[in-house]
Amino acid sequence: MPFKRLLVGELIVSYIPAVCFQASAFSMTPNNGNNWLSTTLVSAMFETLKYYRPLDPYQKDLVCTITRLFNFGAGPPFPSLRPIPLEALSAFHVQLSMSRESRAKEKIGFSRLRGVDWSEYIQYRPIYKESFFRRIYDYHDQKPEAGWSLAHDVGAGHGIVSSTLAKTFHRVIVSDPSEGYNEIARQLLVENCGWPESKFLFMREGAERSSVEAASLDLITACECMHWTNPAEAIDEFARQLKPGGTLAITYYMWPIVMSNERAQSLWNEIFQMFCKRDLGPVYERATQICSNGYESIAIPAEQWTNIKRVYINASKGIESFKMFGATREDNVGSDEERIWIYGDPDWSEEQDIDWLKKYSATWVPPPPEAELQHFWEELDITLKNNKVRIETPLVVILATKRL
């Protein structure tokens, strides 16, 4: 069924008794009944803007965790998107009323020792937009044996990729090795987004070894996580889980690049290098080495996989676009793999100011001491002169098919 797209710039409503609701684009299907936000209600919400006191930044960040999950599209042959139910907004209103102090203990990051506030992560990290999933789905759909029954979101974190996979696949396995992530993902997907819990299987498992049944999956996604794994073991495990003809999609996006302002990019890169140069141990060192050549060190063995494509988006400096501090690993791209380069993708570019850049940088954990960054931020502020600057995020998408 065709669906309507309602574009919303920013929608703010009183959180007593309503909520703050901020989004960039979400889909509204017609004839959904009274449980869904209507265009009329949206217009009414805009009218209330000037009558209510604003939310504090922390509350605004929290409400964005739910709304940005729906900033995707689908379309034939895939189901249209579900708009956000009023019940989800009501549930989130309860969370918004909680104080920062009472929620601080719930902050869980890539580990409990290196925590990240997921609300800030979702608000300031790049969004996996419709074109991202369309590229994966088009690749998968071209195969006659392609199925749409079961997908596995590996390294799912808070479940942002799972939320879109659930719109197309009958069931989704949501797995992550980190303590607490299953509960965060379940809360967003089930309690706040309104999906039935039977839609998902939540598992605390790593990419290298899983209890998932062999040859049971149609699709595996591993987004922004492979550098924290043993890639060779993980790729072998993915081959075990996928059905013959199933699709593997591995993705990684890099620190964004400031465009058309060399001085600003130089300072922005200096800030990034402050994150990269910290001695955080062998696991972090291995991760930076894997990332630094755009995942080209990750081998996709031809005896297990076919039709391998590596798609580089907004990598204006080639593989150097992914360069971090220190050494890189050996290039393991096979001779029969296809490399595709896409430049200026608008879905991975935007205009932002220095305040946004600061908040974005805070999502990379653990951050350096603020005193070490202060000089660079001051110089960048002078350079930008309170203006916004266009940034592009380099991204690599690796697609492969399990051999029949």
Side-chain angles (χ1 to χ4, degrees), residues 88 116 164 176 202 217 232 248 254 352 370 379:
V116 60
T164 299
D176 197 286
F202 297 95
L217 303 178
L248 171 63
M254 183 55 171
Q352 296 293 352
E370 184 62 30
E379 288 293 316

Side-chain angles (χ1 to χ4, degrees), residues 75 93 100 122 167 187 213 255 258 277 290 318 349 357 365:
H93 167 55
R100 176 182 291 271
I122 296 175
K167 299 173 179 68
Q187 182 178 355
E213 182 181 349
W255 184 275
V258 175
K277 293 177 181 179
I290 294 171
S349 62
L357 294 173
V365 294

Side-chain angles (χ1 to χ4, degrees), residues 4-17:
K4 298 177 182 178
R5 181 168 297 277
L6 176 63
L7 297 178
V8 181
E10 184 175 45
L11 179 59
I12 301 179
V13 186
S14 167
Y15 59 98
I16 304 175

Side-chain angles (χ1 to χ4, degrees), residues 1-300:
M1 178 184 296
F3 59 89
K4 298 177 182 178
R5 181 168 297 277
L6 176 63
L7 297 178
V8 181
E10 184 175 45
L11 179 59
I12 301 179
V13 186
S14 167
Y15 59 98
I16 304 175
V19 295
C20 168
F21 181 85
Q22 184 182 31
S24 54
F26 66 96
S27 298
M28 301 286 285
T29 57
N31 303 319
N32 280 305
N34 294 328
N35 288 334
W36 304 102
L37 282 174
S38 66
T39 303
T40 302
L41 180 57
V42 169
S43 299
M45 286 179 173
F46 272 112
E47 292 300 316
T48 66
L49 174 59
K50 56 182 174 290
Y51 296 110
Y52 296 101
R53 55 181 173 145
L55 298 175
D56 64 56
Y58 181 63
Q59 291 170 323
K60 290 183 72 174
D61 288 354
L62 282 176
V63 78
C64 287
T65 65
I66 181 65
T67 60
R68 287 172 70 90
L69 288 177
F70 289 83
N71 190 22
F72 311 117
F78 316 111
S80 58
L81 293 184
R82 295 154 50 96
I84 302 174
L86 292 178
E87 291 85 350
L89 295 179
S90 298
F92 232 66
H93 167 55
V94 175
Q95 294 180 356
L96 291 176
S97 65
M98 300 171 65
S99 68
R100 176 182 291 271
E101 291 75 20
S102 65
R103 291 190 55 85
K105 62 183 180 182
E106 299 181 16
K107 292 185 181 180
I108 303 172
F110 303 113
S111 73
R112 286 196 178 274
L113 296 178
R114 298 175 181 177
V116 60
D117 185 338
W118 277 120
S119 61
E120 293 182 353
Y121 187 97
I122 296 175
Q123 185 172 1
Y124 297 106
R125 285 296 185 100
I127 300 171
Y128 296 103
K129 293 187 178 179
E130 177 181 355
S131 62
F132 173 85
F133 290 97
R134 178 61 57 189
R135 180 171 285 107
I136 296 172
Y137 291 168
D138 285 350
Y139 173 91
H140 183 64
D141 193 44
Q142 68 184 347
K143 296 172 284 188
E145 64 277 5
W148 303 93
S149 297
L150 184 59
H152 185 184
D153 183 11
V154 176
H158 55 302
I160 192 168
V161 173
S162 300
S163 69
T164 299
L165 295 177
K167 299 173 179 68
T168 299
F169 288 84
H170 180 64
R171 293 196 73 205
V172 179
I173 297 173
V174 185
S175 73
D176 197 286
S178 299
E179 180 184 357
Y181 281 20
N182 280 178
E183 178 56 29
I184 292 174
R186 191 195 67 79
Q187 182 178 355
L188 288 174
L189 296 170
V190 178
E191 295 182 13
N192 296 324
C193 297
W195 290 105
E197 189 156 0
S198 59
K199 184 82 173 177
F200 306 97
L201 176 60
F202 297 95
M203 307 174 68
R204 185 184 175 188
E205 294 185 341
E208 300 87 347
R209 283 172 293 280
S210 174
S211 59
V212 172
E213 182 181 349
S216 63
L217 303 178
D218 299 299
L219 172 73
I220 291 177
T221 57
C223 301
E224 203 71 11
C225 67
M226 285 297 290
H227 45 288
W228 300 117
T229 73
N230 181 316
E233 292 183 9
I235 296 295
D236 190 58
E237 173 63 17
F238 297 160
R240 185 192 69 81
Q241 295 177 31
L242 279 170
K243 299 174 183 177
T247 294
L248 171 63
I250 295 172
T251 71
Y252 169 70
Y253 60 76
M254 183 55 171
W255 184 275
I257 297 172
V258 175
M259 308 299 293
S260 304
N261 190 324
E262 293 184 7
R263 176 57 178 164
Q265 169 56 23
S266 176
L267 292 165
W268 180 236
N269 186 62
E270 288 287 347
I271 293 169
F272 177 53
Q273 292 304 318
M274 295 294 291
F275 283 79
C276 298
K277 293 177 181 179
R278 305 185 69 198
D279 184 7
L280 300 174
V283 173
Y284 185 83
E285 181 180 1
R286 182 185 68 179
T288 59
Q289 291 176 358
I290 294 171
C291 294
S292 283
N293 65 352
Y295 276 14
E296 292 201 339
S297 64
I298 298 179
I300 313 294

